[in-house]
Amino acid sequence: MTDAAALNATVRVRQLIDLTNRLTARLTEESGVFESNRPQDAAAALVGTQDLANTYRRESAQLKADPTSIAAASAEDRARLIQATTAFEAVLNRHARAVEAARIVSEGLVRTIAAEVAGQRGSPSAYGASGRANASDGRAVAFNRQA
């Protein structure tokens, strides 16, 4: 390999390590927010997290398509990339669990509120003795089972 190829591979690996570490830090922070029951605090950084995740996805796909692009990097740099990726995967699993728990709690709240509203309305009465429809509560509640 030429010195230029080794230099390019080293720079690429170090950029991937930096990107992975930044995304890992962002997801660690978001996981903490979800775990402390403050998911609204994650909304402000959502766009930045999505941008980092999209960049990571693109870079990972490129690396998977051409693993030789980092072959000339030192074994030490490649080992650091593996360590960063392993840490990222662990944090990603933690983040997924925290987001799923927040989703379940939110859906439970919505179901409870919808059930309470429906219970307060009483059962609908169709027609009265005169043949006319009885007046009912005109409010509507929609419930969607997906978050």
Side-chain angles (χ1 to χ4, degrees):
M1 290 269 155
T2 66
D3 289 338
L7 182 60
N8 286 340
T10 299
V11 167
R12 178 137 170 80
V13 167
R14 290 181 182 172
Q15 286 174 338
L16 287 169
I17 291 168
D18 180 59
L19 174 63
T20 304
N21 288 339
R22 287 188 298 143
L23 186 55
T24 300
R26 180 72 62 100
L27 291 181
T28 299
E29 184 178 310
E30 282 185 14
S31 295
V33 167
F34 283 114
E35 290 165 354
S36 63
N37 298 319
R38 295 184 343 264
Q40 68 278 4
D41 294 350
L46 186 61
V47 172
T49 302
Q50 288 173 337
D51 289 344
L52 278 174
N54 286 333
T55 302
Y56 181 83
R57 181 188 49 77
R58 277 193 311 274
E59 294 296 325
S60 296
Q62 288 175 357
L63 183 58
K64 185 176 182 180
D66 183 19
T68 61
S69 66
I70 63 166
S74 70
E76 180 183 328
D77 282 338
R78 286 182 289 158
R80 286 182 45 229
L81 178 58
I82 291 170
Q83 288 174 333
T85 302
T86 302
F88 168 70
E89 289 172 354
V91 168
L92 187 61
N93 287 332
R94 174 183 168 205
H95 186 269
R97 285 190 307 274
V99 168
E100 179 65 11
R103 183 191 65 78
I104 289 169
V105 168
S106 295
E107 285 182 359
L109 288 171
V110 169
R111 281 191 189 104
T112 302
I113 292 168
E116 181 66 26
V117 168
Q120 288 181 0
R121 285 187 178 174
S123 49
S125 55
Y127 293 97
S130 66
R132 290 186 163 187
N134 291 331
S136 65
D137 186 354
R139 294 175 287 181
V141 173
F143 176 67
N144 182 348
R145 294 189 184 273
Q146 295 180 331

